[in-house]
Amino acid sequence: MREYLDGVRKGVGLDGILKLIESVSDLKVLLVGETIIDEYQYVLPYGQASKEPIIATQYIDREVFAGGVIAAANHVAGFCAEVEVMTVLGSVNSDEELVRESLLPGVKLSPIYRDGAPTIRKTRFVENQYMRKLFEVQHIEDTPLPDESRDQLNQAVSDRAGDYDLVIFTDFGHGMIGRSTIDLATEKSKFLAVNTQSNSANRGYNLITKYDKADYICIDLPEARLAASSKFGDLREIASRTLPRAIDCDKIILTQGKYGCMTYERGVGTQEVPAITDTVVDTMGAGDAFFVVTAPLVAAGAAMEHVGLIGNVVGAVKVGILGHRSSVDKVTVIKALTGLLK
């Protein structure tokens, strides 16, 4: 880590890194993706029930957050001038009031409604002392959107994607984003950044290879290995050869949690960027924060190794936040970078 940071100080330096962050302040950003209501039920485990093979718990408290693309939009809004969110809400238990109240001022919400379904909700039961998650219950309808909702989404993407400097797809793989929407975004966007998440509801079915082309992709190492069908293959090979052959994309970042990230740019090659912290409160949403804050930097032409450093700082800030109690903001990121590079 020390050697890497010394290299940054001697190269672009702190002033250069801060200029990169300021360079995206006037960008207009459109985010497309699923809204997910993240509910934390805090409980005190008692132990195994006497007559059933289950863990008995005592309810302590609960918190409910607007997550998914909503949390992602708030992260972006801390760095860019104009942010719009296109998302799908359920007509049953929509939680629209919570969603609107959770958005930072200036973020525009453009919802499409799915009849007969709830807004996606993931309820996690969390051990109250050390904040360890015990299990999860999902309220979800993840089949492809009905034709009417799909047509509305496609029309909105077709009409407005070209008005933005950057279009970000946070694709959680829960039925919102299908082939026709991808094709329109690819055609209409000036710059398209994509993350496809593998999770318990879609593992193996929501791979980055569903996109034929993007200007920037950011996924984690397990997601990259799934897309490359390579459980043990060399990471540099996956980043620089396998994925670029499968997807027409010149700029890629693979995140690796406590091991940092690997960046790739066509014609430049790969670069390993070490992690910034090993202190973790909650990992939920850290990869999403990394992705959506770095996407404007890539769109603005920043060098990928510098993007990786800023992304790792963003991830370090986010893992210190429980759930979505707050979003990653520019001031906090600048303070962290200044502490590292001054």
Side-chain angles (χ1 to χ4, degrees), residues 278-298:
D278 55 7
T279 302
V280 176
V281 173
D282 189 356
T283 61
M284 185 181 73
D288 302 332
F290 182 116
F291 165 57
V292 297
V293 174
T294 58
L297 297 169
V298 179

Side-chain angles (χ1 to χ4, degrees), residues 1 4-5 8 12 17 20-21 216 218 251-257 259-265 271-277 286 289-291 293-295 297-298 302-316 333 337 340-341:
M1 165 64 77
Y4 172 79
L5 293 177
V8 176
V12 66
I17 293 293
L20 292 179
I21 293 175
Y216 170 51
C218 178
K251 298 181 179 182
I252 297 171
I253 292 184
L254 306 183
T255 59
Q256 303 177 76
Y259 299 108
C261 69
M262 176 170 287
T263 70
Y264 165 76
E265 182 174 359
Q271 170 75 43
E272 292 187 62
V273 184
I276 302 304
T277 184
F290 182 116
F291 165 57
V293 174
T294 58
L297 297 169
V298 179
M304 293 301 288
E305 62 177 302
H306 303 147
V307 172
L309 171 62
I310 296 169
N312 282 351
V313 170
V314 169
V333 170
L337 285 163
L340 285 170
L341 297 174

Side-chain angles (χ1 to χ4, degrees), residues 58-177:
Q58 177 189 349
Y59 172 81
I60 302 297
D61 201 357
R62 70 191 283 265
E63 286 186 275
V64 182
F65 310 105
V69 74
I70 303 302
N74 283 338
H75 298 316
V76 178
F79 294 82
C80 297
E82 185 175 334
V83 178
E84 179 179 355
V85 181
M86 288 184 190
T87 190
V88 171
L89 302 178
S91 65
V92 180
N93 299 323
S94 72
D95 286 299
E96 184 169 347
E97 183 176 355
L98 169 66
V99 169
R100 290 190 180 277
E101 290 176 350
S102 299
L103 286 169
L104 291 179
V107 179
K108 178 182 177 182
L109 180 68
S110 299
I112 289 164
Y113 299 92
R114 181 172 184 146
D115 288 339
T119 297
I120 299 165
R121 177 180 288 253
K122 298 183 179 182
T123 301
R124 298 167 177 90
F125 291 80
V126 183
E127 180 272 320
N128 191 51
Q129 292 181 316
Y130 296 100
M131 298 300 168
R132 290 177 294 208
K133 300 178 182 74
L134 302 176
F135 63 94
E136 175 179 301
V137 177
Q138 298 188 6
H139 305 260
I140 188 171
E141 172 57 73
D142 62 352
T143 56
L145 285 179
D147 290 345
E148 182 177 356
S149 299
R150 171 80 61 213
D151 291 345
Q152 291 175 12
L153 174 62
N154 286 350
Q155 189 64 55
V157 170
S158 179
D159 289 344
R160 299 210 288 281
D163 296 334
Y164 287 85
D165 301 303
L166 165 65
V167 177
I168 298 176
F169 268 44
T170 58
D171 186 343
F172 294 96
H174 295 321
M176 175 182 172
I177 299 173

